[in-house]
Amino acid sequence: MKKFTKKIEDFNCAHCGAVVRGNGYTNHCPQCLWSRHVDNNPGDRASSCGGMMRPISAEKDGEGFIITHKCELCGKEKRQRTSDQDNVDALIKIMSNSDFIFGA
């Protein structure tokens, strides 16, 4: 079974209202860093939950960062790499409110 489906979609963030231009890998709003629980596997849009996913932590990963999101409805946690378009101030805020992990 395929674990990733590239899906290019634009959307309005349900948390902050920002207009987001998707690139096929876009998983969260680059302004507020919130996500939505719509996938079982990346891009499949098969989750029936639909809950908002709060960015709860971030950790260093090589040259970038990984954000952990937690669904406010079902509690599912998912991890996603940041992108160059992500709001650095929002990322710093998440790191200051979590146990920031310095990875390799």
Side-chain angles (χ1 to χ4, degrees):
M1 174 187 234
K2 194 173 179 182
K3 291 287 185 179
F4 175 78
T5 303
K6 185 174 181 180
K7 191 127 178 128
I8 299 173
E9 296 176 311
D10 298 336
F11 61 94
N12 290 341
C13 177
H15 183 257
C16 74
V19 176
V20 180
R21 302 287 174 229
N23 64 10
Y25 302 99
T26 308
N27 150 281
H28 58 269
C29 173
Q31 294 304 309
C32 68
L33 307 181
W34 279 66
S35 186
R36 191 150 208 177
H37 190 182
V38 295
D39 296 337
N40 290 327
N41 291 306
D44 68 8
R45 305 302 184 255
S47 176
S48 61
C49 179
M52 292 301 298
M53 297 191 78
R54 177 186 300 274
I56 60 170
S57 66
E59 62 189 78
K60 183 88 171 102
D61 181 59
E63 296 295 316
F65 295 87
I66 294 178
I67 299 171
T68 299
H69 293 96
K70 184 173 185 177
C71 182
E72 299 211 304
L73 286 181
C74 72
K76 174 127 178 129
E77 291 187 13
K78 290 187 177 185
R79 295 164 41 92
Q80 177 68 30
R81 293 191 183 283
T82 57
S83 74
D84 292 341
Q85 292 77 38
D86 286 347
N87 180 329
V88 174
D89 291 333
L91 183 60
I92 291 169
K93 184 175 180 181
I94 293 167
M95 291 186 299
S96 68
N97 291 332
S98 66
D99 295 326
F100 180 60
I101 300 168
F102 286 93

